[in-house]
Amino acid sequence: MALIVQKFGGSSVGNPDRIKNVAARVAKYRAQGDQVVVVVSAMSGVTDNLIRMAKELMPLPSEREMDMLLATGEQTTIALTAIALHAIGIAAVSMTGAQAGIVTNGVHTKAKIQNITPKQVHELLDAGNVVIVAGFQGQTQEGQITTLGRGGSDLTAIALAAALSADLCQVYTDVDGVYTADPRIVPTAKKLPEISYDEMLELASLGAKVMQSRSVEFAKKFGVVFEVRSSLNDNPGTIVKEETASMEDVVIRGVSLDKNQAKVTLIGVPDKPGVAARIFKALGEAAISVDMIVQNVSHGSGSPSTDLSFTVDKPDLLKTNKVIDSLRIEIGFQAVASDEKIGKLSIVGVGMRSHSGVAAKMFETLAQNGINIDMISTSEIKISVVIDLAKGEQAMRAIHQAFIG
Ligand code: ASP
Ligand code: MG
């Protein structure tokens, strides 16, 4: 008998028929005598729709109210999933994040899990129930409802698997596993049997969209091995785990395209100590996560100035502009420009550490395709470029062809 955490994403619970399929899958594991904790997302499109309605009322709604609103999406799905299990004769109880003992800090819409006390989950499991937990949500010590950031149901699943010391954690989605690229964009993309946490992390944070990156970080930190697999079939998926020696034999594990970033450029920023610190401190305090940062060589001799570009998540652009505006007088830069029509294309692989010429090959391939590079950043296992969004998919196919086939 094993304790299994199974997470089902929005498309896997997208309508009552799909929820019936989830119930049937859970029933199979129950029939083997396993204990099952199910974590579900909101039905696909629901969270986006709730956000859209709030923004029709006001461009920057209160974040506390957004949490109150968005938490309803997952609450709908837990109850429907419990009902679907009852309908086939299986004991099941739904629980909100708070009821499952998930305690977070108070940063609304991007809360961090502080601890999980799954006492009630254990009790209900031991009494023979399937326990269905709402993903993406928790509660502060003071009892305020919080959410964990978009895609946060993954985090709920991984964190619960750690807290319950689960034997197995399965993340069910609408793809068969992790691919070398998004197969909808690159038809020759292949499914990976396994991938290291670090590669997955780069791919997730770069917009491979398979999983939320914070949940992979969490899994790495707590050593939670998990499998990403399809809710539509019984094929084995991709195992995500600690790096092994043989993983370095492959130069590039995958190519990803992040269309969800926006670029902000501050023009004519005084080039003196403390300016960058001031800007990024203010962004950090507003809980805006900055990804790439590029500062140009400064110009002018008397009081030199420079241009500073960085990228943020597109939904944070309004907030970012507000923060930057509030610094305009204090810092004294000349102008701000933002660009939402960018794509960030990245190649990822632990094999980069032991193979050379990888960057040159990437840049040459882009040049041959007439694609201009706007920003570049690298890490030990990743090279990213910012390019024109309109050329993103073409670039992705060319790069995949050059490195993977
Ligand atoms: N429903 C939330 C979202 O769309 C959480 C999730 O799906 O994991 O971001
Ligand atoms: Mg989701």
Side-chain angles (χ1 to χ4, degrees):
M1 187 188 81
L3 170 54
I4 306 176
V5 174
Q6 299 185 320
K7 184 259 172 178
F8 295 90
S11 56
S12 308
V13 292
N15 57 48
D17 264 346
R18 294 267 174 99
I19 294 177
K20 271 189 203 166
N21 288 341
V22 168
R25 188 180 293 271
V26 172
K28 257 199 300 192
Y29 284 87
R30 277 303 283 150
Q32 293 169 23
D34 296 322
Q35 290 189 321
V36 186
V37 173
V38 178
V39 175
V40 286
S41 292
M43 296 162 92
S44 53
V46 166
T47 308
D48 285 340
N49 203 28
L50 293 169
I51 293 173
R52 195 170 325 117
M53 286 195 286
K55 292 204 164 162
E56 263 178 44
L57 301 172
M58 193 179 178
L60 268 184
S62 142
E63 292 180 330
R64 179 197 183 271
E65 300 309 329
M66 286 310 286
D67 278 353
M68 191 62 91
L69 177 67
L70 298 191
T72 64
E74 272 68 14
Q75 210 170 318
T76 305
T77 328
I78 52 171
L80 289 174
T81 308
I83 292 167
L85 282 161
H86 297 165
I88 56 173
I90 292 180
V93 180
S94 66
M95 299 182 97
T96 63
Q99 288 174 329
I102 299 174
V103 176
T104 74
N105 67 13
V107 182
H108 283 292
T109 78
K110 285 183 184 173
K112 288 208 160 83
I113 295 178
Q114 284 179 330
N115 60 70
I116 302 185
T117 319
K119 185 168 167 279
Q120 235 190 311
V121 175
H122 275 303
E123 283 167 5
L124 288 164
L125 285 173
D126 290 344
N129 296 288
V130 171
V131 177
I132 301 144
V133 179
F136 177 55
Q137 53 170 266
Q139 173 174 286
T140 65
Q141 229 126 34
E142 295 77 33
Q144 296 293 327
I145 293 177
T146 51
T147 64
L148 308 175
R150 295 306 306 269
S153 301
D154 290 334
L155 183 59
T156 305
I158 301 284
L160 265 177
L164 294 163
S165 304
D167 301 293
L168 199 62
C169 181
Q170 300 173 323
V171 176
Y172 287 93
T173 173
D174 56 353
V175 293
D176 269 346
V178 183
Y179 278 70
T180 52
D182 183 341
R184 285 164 297 192
I185 303 175
V186 183
T188 54
K190 299 178 208 23
K191 181 166 76 181
L192 296 161
E194 60 177 25
I195 187 170
S196 70
Y197 291 123
D198 287 332
E199 290 170 326
M200 179 72 180
L201 210 46
E202 295 288 14
L203 286 168
S205 68
L206 297 172
K209 275 196 225 123
V210 178
M211 268 183 84
Q212 189 213 37
S213 56
R214 271 172 63 194
S215 51
V216 183
E217 264 162 34
F218 197 100
K220 181 185 175 191
K221 192 162 154 197
F222 292 94
V224 179
V225 175
F226 61 94
E227 182 186 12
V228 177
R229 54 185 289 173
S230 171
S231 62
L232 306 171
N233 58 48
D234 286 321
N235 300 340
T238 301
I239 304 283
V240 187
K241 60 178 192 183
E242 203 45 72
E243 186 179 331
T244 57
S246 67
M247 286 182 178
E248 278 206 30
D249 297 345
V250 177
V251 187
I252 298 302
R253 186 86 50 205
V255 182
S256 75
L257 178 64
D258 185 354
K259 301 178 179 179
N260 195 37
Q261 301 260 314
K263 184 178 77 168
V264 178
T265 304
L266 304 189
I267 300 156
V269 183
D271 190 9
K272 59 182 189 205
V275 172
R278 187 68 197 92
I279 294 168
F280 293 106
K281 182 165 178 249
L283 292 169
E285 279 166 0
I288 295 167
S289 51
V290 172
D291 183 24
M292 288 168 97
I293 302 176
V294 172
Q295 182 181 310
N296 283 335
V297 180
S298 72
H299 37 80
S301 49
S303 47
S305 66
T306 182
D307 299 341
L308 183 70
S309 294
F310 56 89
T311 63
V312 295
D313 291 344
K314 244 176 221 172
D316 282 341
L317 184 58
L318 253 167
K319 206 159 116 184
T320 303
N321 284 334
K322 248 179 120 171
V323 170
I324 295 298
D325 242 24
S326 73
L327 295 173
R328 187 186 279 265
I329 294 174
E330 183 187 338
I331 291 177
F333 50 86
Q334 283 159 18
V336 197
S338 49
D339 186 358
E340 286 192 280
K341 296 200 165 49
I342 60 162
K344 179 175 155 188
L345 180 72
S346 307
I347 54 177
V348 172
V350 292
M352 257 183 229
R353 292 197 199 110
S354 48
H355 294 81
S356 58
V358 179
K361 185 168 169 181
M362 181 186 198
F363 302 156
E364 258 163 33
T365 307
L366 292 170
Q368 279 157 9
N369 283 271
I371 292 160
N372 188 46
I373 300 172
D374 196 11
M375 293 166 90
I376 300 173
S377 82
T378 62
S379 80
E380 218 192 353
I381 64 164
K382 172 197 73 172
I383 303 169
S384 303
V385 294
V386 167
I387 56 177
D388 178 5
L389 181 60
K391 293 194 172 149
E393 297 193 354
Q394 177 205 345
M396 192 178 185
R397 283 187 285 270
I399 294 292
H400 191 279
Q401 178 64 39
F403 284 99
I404 298 166

